Amino acid sequence: MNLDDFDRFRRLVNDSGVIFYYTGYLSHNIIGAIGDALRSKLEAEDIKGPTARRIFSTFIEMMQNILNYAENPAIEGDKAILQMGTVAIGHAGERFFVVCGNSMGEEHVSRLRGKLEHIRTLSLEEIKQEYKRRLREEPEPDSKGAGLGFLTVARDASEPIEFDFHADARNQDIQHFFLKATI
């Protein structure tokens, strides 16, 4: 990347209201360090109370999703101990947003799309009921956690979550998954 491209990138990030941005490999330690930096940034911006809690909770859920489910085509087999992902946190007017992205296999797209489209149709009360119901059930077979992450993100959001998939230009078996929550 040349310096002019980097400056354009910096301006785009600033003009988009981004207050925190990270792209790279993730591990539990890296997420912890980013979380500490995010807490400091929220305090410096005087973002407190329920808003800060929802931003932080959404950030953690999205990072855990990347850590548990991202597929990095550059690392094969059991050697994939770090996952690649991107997160941006910012504000648009009085609202805040948390956006994340990661790579995933094409074979997961339709199942994930169905799950997210269903969540988008639920009211806040229905999201809370679904959350409680899932707490009582066994996790889904493909889940590496309790299966509550997207419900937590949707519960903390002030409007329906947004998502999209983009095909990888170099590998047709890989999709780039993007998720956005407005707080």
Side-chain angles (χ1 to χ4, degrees):
M1 172 181 276
N2 69 44
L3 296 179
D4 288 336
D5 289 341
F6 190 76
D7 184 51
R8 278 192 293 281
F9 173 76
R10 180 196 58 79
R11 281 185 276 131
L12 176 63
V13 167
N14 288 340
D15 293 346
S16 298
V18 173
I19 60 173
F20 188 89
Y21 177 84
Y22 174 83
T23 190
Y25 290 105
L26 295 172
S27 68
H28 290 290
N29 290 339
I30 292 170
I31 292 172
I34 294 171
D36 289 343
L38 176 58
R39 272 196 192 101
S40 296
K41 181 63 174 169
L42 293 174
E43 287 174 13
E45 297 272 331
D46 202 30
I47 302 164
K48 298 177 183 169
T51 300
R53 183 202 58 78
R54 288 193 306 269
I55 292 168
F56 194 78
S57 170
T58 299
F59 160 76
I60 291 295
E61 289 298 339
M62 287 183 175
M63 293 294 92
Q64 288 296 328
N65 183 61
I66 292 170
L67 198 59
N68 288 329
Y69 299 106
E71 291 187 22
N72 185 347
I75 300 175
E76 296 181 14
D78 295 334
K79 296 182 183 189
I81 56 171
L82 296 174
Q83 295 296 359
M84 177 75 84
T86 300
V87 63
I89 300 161
H91 55 84
E94 297 297 314
R95 305 272 176 143
F96 291 87
F97 58 85
V98 182
V99 181
C100 73
N102 61 269
S103 299
M104 63 185 306
E106 171 71 33
E107 69 274 13
H108 302 295
V109 171
S110 65
R111 179 188 53 77
L112 186 56
R113 183 184 306 277
K115 183 182 287 192
L116 291 168
E117 285 175 351
H118 170 69
I119 290 172
R120 280 184 48 83
T121 67
L122 301 176
S123 69
L124 180 57
E125 187 56 39
E126 291 169 326
I127 290 168
K128 290 177 181 178
Q129 290 172 4
E130 180 75 7
Y131 187 93
K132 289 177 185 176
R133 183 186 66 75
R134 290 229 188 124
L135 278 174
R136 294 186 298 267
E137 295 179 351
E138 291 292 318
E140 296 174 0
D142 58 343
S143 180
K144 295 180 183 175
L148 302 172
F150 291 135
L151 288 170
T152 300
V153 170
R155 182 192 64 201
D156 287 344
S158 61
E159 49 190 66
I161 56 177
E162 299 175 49
F163 67 93
D164 205 357
F165 299 91
H166 294 240
D168 187 281
R170 295 173 299 226
N171 184 341
Q172 65 184 7
D173 295 330
I174 297 295
Q175 290 280 320
H176 298 286
F177 167 59
F178 301 100
L179 179 65
K180 177 181 178 185
T182 300
I183 310 294

